[in-house]
Amino acid sequence: NWSGAAYNPESNILYIPVNTDVMVQGLKKLPASNFNKTNAKVLRTSPSAAWWALTGRGTGLRYSMIDRRPFTVDGIPCKCPPWGWMVAVNLNSGVIVWRKPSGEDTLKNIKGLNGYCPPLLTAGGVLFHGGTRDQRLYAYDAKNGDVLAKYDLPAGLHAGPITYKLKPDGKQYLVVAPGGHTILGSKLGDYIIAY
């Protein structure tokens, strides 16, 4: 899905952000002709994909989703926190190696906020992840999930961090692009930050 995952091929461990959301979704009935015939080219071109996303037509579906939002009362999700986790799964055994709440709301003393951002795993065993409304980038120890560092950001981070070197023996950079997201409720911005 949106958040993706990070993978360590040496240990065969998958690091994946998980949300436990309760959502309300609305459906719109589509015309019967939509179910009776499809154009079989729904996502083959940008125009047909846009038409499908906007109308739900040409899909063979009977209904289209029109409204999707968290199930909340006074802005509080109707499920006890934590709502978001960073989870390490051993793909050989299927066993969860560790799981830690991702993000925190220090004013409400809540750990584990919903998050939408892919993690990045370095060869040195550091896992970077953001994506929650607390506007921080977290550095986890990939072995046990302990938080090594937290970096405050000027806007919400929902794009994946990247890392690179300008030359093989050069300094390694970590770059994030906090841009925020209106629907997710994180502060908007247009930043590029290199560490």
Side-chain angles (χ1 to χ4, degrees):
N1 202 318
W2 176 354
S3 294
Y7 174 65
N8 183 337
E10 293 178 9
S11 64
N12 209 23
I13 292 178
L14 184 73
Y15 301 89
I16 187 162
V18 174
N19 291 312
T20 53
D21 295 335
V22 178
M23 303 295 287
V24 176
Q25 296 186 196
L27 298 176
K28 174 177 75 173
K29 188 166 179 62
L30 297 171
S33 61
N34 188 64
F35 181 74
N36 295 334
K37 63 178 185 172
T38 66
N39 60 17
K41 297 179 182 177
V42 177
L43 299 177
R44 295 188 190 261
T45 65
S46 296
S48 65
W51 175 252
W52 169 77
L54 293 171
T55 68
R57 294 187 179 170
T59 61
L61 300 175
R62 295 176 194 263
Y63 295 90
S64 172
M65 184 174 66
I66 56 170
D67 183 30
R68 183 174 192 261
R69 65 187 184 284
F71 181 41
T72 64
V73 174
D74 296 328
I76 305 296
C78 291
K79 180 194 175 301
C80 293
W83 302 301
W85 300 89
M86 177 55 66
V87 179
V89 180
N90 183 315
L91 296 180
N92 293 324
S93 64
V95 171
I96 293 176
V97 178
W98 56 260
R99 73 178 190 164
K100 302 286 180 158
S102 59
E104 61 187 344
D105 184 333
T106 53
L107 296 176
K108 296 179 182 174
N109 197 26
I110 296 172
K111 289 189 181 238
L113 305 175
N114 292 335
Y116 300 91
C117 175
L120 171 76
L121 178 65
T122 68
V126 180
L127 183 74
F128 292 96
H129 182 248
T132 67
R133 70 176 182 270
D134 72 351
Q135 294 174 207
R136 287 191 188 109
L137 173 66
Y138 289 84
Y140 296 91
D141 184 328
K143 289 180 185 169
N144 56 27
D146 289 348
V147 175
L148 302 173
K150 301 175 193 176
Y151 303 96
D152 290 332
L153 299 171
L157 177 64
H158 305 289
I162 64 166
T163 186
Y164 65 92
K165 291 181 181 182
L166 295 175
K167 53 186 177 179
D169 60 343
K171 187 183 294 186
Q172 184 173 4
Y173 294 91
L174 175 76
V175 179
V176 295
H181 198 285
T182 305
I183 295 172
L184 299 176
S186 67
K187 183 179 175 187
L188 299 180
D190 59 356
Y191 301 91
I192 302 291
I193 301 170
Y195 299 94

